[in-house]
Amino acid sequence: MNLTNPSEIKAIINENGFSFKKKYGQNFLINKEVPKKIANASVTESEKTGCACIEIGPGIGVMTRELAELYDKVVAFEIDSELIPILSKTLADKNNVTVINKDILEINLKEFIEENLQGYKVSVCANLPYYITTPIIMSLLESHAKIERIVVMIQKEVANRLTAKPGSNEYGSITPSIEYYAVVKKLFDVSPGNFMPKPEVTSTVVSFDIRKEAPINPKSKDLLFKTIRGVFALRRKTVLNSLGSEFSHISKEDLTKCLEEAKLSPSVRGETLSLQQISDLSDAIFSLMNA
Ligand code: SAM
């Protein structure tokens, strides 16, 4: 069985009456080196005992089979019920794999890991459906689940945004939000010709090493994230004007004082601010609100 051979994929899907669904972002890998390379990148240490992997969207199981070789336990969440009978055949020889027919966004991952993967070092690995890349990544990071590393393939354009530097065109609210939780690295690009059906865009595999401790220590995490939203609300406007969208109850005069306290000019643009600078600003707003 070669799950990356287009004729074999067609035979498997025809036999099982499966049809590709755009709404689920179904682009299956057809180059066997790629799932192997992604799966290898998801492993945190050379010592592989006591490790488990959560896969999002196994498709017909091409990467799941690679993960099953590397991990003691693999749990794969697949939303499309039509793929479940296919997976039960393609993964029949993999006793360490459990497939769950559920939407990953409906899973409480923290509870799931505590109940099912207690004592394992957990990684997440996926060729993500592009239509919900950012919600999935943010829900993984915000879940506070015990995850060590996330390795996912996403659209190249999104990978550029996640790893952008302050002041660049790609830098947006998602960049410092993710930096708070993880160290993000671009690993390698995968061209459209490696998928069936062929997507219109190039993909990039990205790793997220989850931080044990945040790189900054804001007085209020909720206020920090509110400040991030405020700073980026109006692109190409001054940070003072942009902040008004989230902090309409604070006067411009007081917001100017907060900016001064954070050693920022009111005319600076939000998209040039680092996570540390946004945190200083959020702390100044916190002090004002709690004075
Ligand atoms: N892993 C396979 C591969 O690399 O060939 C398939 C990857 S395909 C890009 C994305 C997969 O995610 C599909 O199997 C799709 O049905 C599944 N999927 C889409 N949305 C999902 C969700 N919310 N929860 C779980 N799986 C989802």
Side-chain angles (χ1 to χ4, degrees):
M1 183 170 50
N2 178 356
L3 294 181
T4 49
N5 178 315
S7 330
E8 288 199 34
I9 298 176
K10 277 182 198 147
I12 293 171
I13 65 177
N14 287 341
E15 253 169 51
N16 291 276
F18 170 82
S19 51
F20 284 98
K21 293 171 201 73
K22 220 173 171 182
K23 67 169 179 175
Y24 289 151
Q26 291 173 340
N27 300 95
F28 295 171
L29 281 164
I30 54 166
N31 173 349
K32 71 172 180 335
E33 294 311 318
V34 179
K36 196 176 276 180
K37 212 168 153 189
I38 302 174
N40 278 327
S42 73
V43 178
T44 49
E45 309 170 6
S46 47
E47 163 104 58
K48 288 165 192 157
T49 51
C51 293
C53 186
I54 293 177
E55 187 189 8
I56 302 162
I60 58 168
V62 63
M63 197 152 74
T64 326
R65 292 186 63 81
E66 299 294 341
L67 295 169
E69 293 300 314
L70 296 170
Y71 289 89
D72 294 327
K73 207 167 172 175
V74 177
V75 181
F77 289 96
E78 175 54 63
I79 196 169
D80 188 350
S81 55
E82 274 190 21
L83 288 167
I84 305 305
I86 299 182
L87 286 164
S88 67
K89 291 176 204 160
T90 58
L91 300 172
D93 57 330
K94 302 291 182 196
N95 298 328
N96 57 343
V97 177
T98 308
V99 175
I100 300 178
N101 183 201
K102 283 219 168 110
D103 178 345
I104 189 67
L105 290 176
E106 283 176 8
I107 300 296
N108 179 331
L109 218 52
K110 186 176 191 302
E111 272 176 29
F112 182 87
I113 291 174
E114 282 166 6
E115 284 163 21
N116 301 281
L117 299 172
Q118 187 72 260
Y120 286 92
K121 284 196 166 132
V122 180
S123 296
V124 172
C125 189
N127 168 12
L128 281 182
Y130 293 159
Y131 75 110
I132 44 165
T133 301
T134 314
I136 290 182
I137 293 172
M138 282 317 289
S139 82
L140 291 173
L141 295 175
E142 286 169 346
S143 69
H144 299 292
K146 226 172 153 283
I147 298 170
E148 309 251 327
R149 185 171 169 85
I150 302 170
V151 170
V152 286
M153 180 150 59
I154 58 181
Q155 246 177 282
K156 183 174 182 167
E157 185 189 78
V158 179
N160 289 343
R161 267 194 268 141
L162 302 188
T163 53
K165 296 275 172 272
S168 64
N169 279 342
E170 289 97 351
Y171 189 68
S173 62
I174 188 79
T175 327
S177 304
I178 285 189
E179 190 189 344
Y180 180 81
Y181 292 108
V183 178
V184 192
K185 283 196 194 114
K186 283 193 269 185
L187 301 182
F188 53 92
D189 287 348
V190 180
S191 61
N194 291 288
F195 301 85
M196 187 173 101
K198 212 172 170 176
E200 277 160 21
V201 292
T202 297
S203 305
T204 300
V205 177
V206 179
S207 67
F208 302 77
D209 283 308
I210 311 302
R211 297 182 191 276
K212 302 241 180 318
E213 268 175 46
I216 49 161
N217 191 15
K219 288 180 177 156
S220 157
K221 187 183 154 199
D222 286 348
L223 190 65
L224 169 71
F225 277 80
K226 193 173 166 63
T227 310
I228 292 177
R229 287 195 298 278
V231 160
F232 289 94
L234 301 176
R235 262 190 110 79
R236 302 193 208 295
K237 299 276 185 226
T238 65
V239 71
L240 181 60
N241 282 331
S242 189
L243 280 173
S245 62
E246 283 288 327
F247 298 101
S248 54
H249 56 294
I250 303 181
S251 70
K252 279 211 168 166
E253 209 179 15
D254 280 344
L255 284 175
T256 305
K257 280 188 203 146
C258 293
L259 284 159
E260 274 166 16
E261 204 185 312
K263 301 192 173 41
L264 296 170
S265 153
S267 63
V268 75
R269 285 185 184 167
E271 60 263 32
T272 65
L273 300 185
S274 67
L275 176 62
Q276 181 65 63
Q277 287 173 311
I278 301 170
S279 177
D280 292 345
L281 176 57
S282 145
D283 283 354
I285 297 172
F286 182 92
S287 301
L288 175 93
M289 284 165 52
N290 291 283

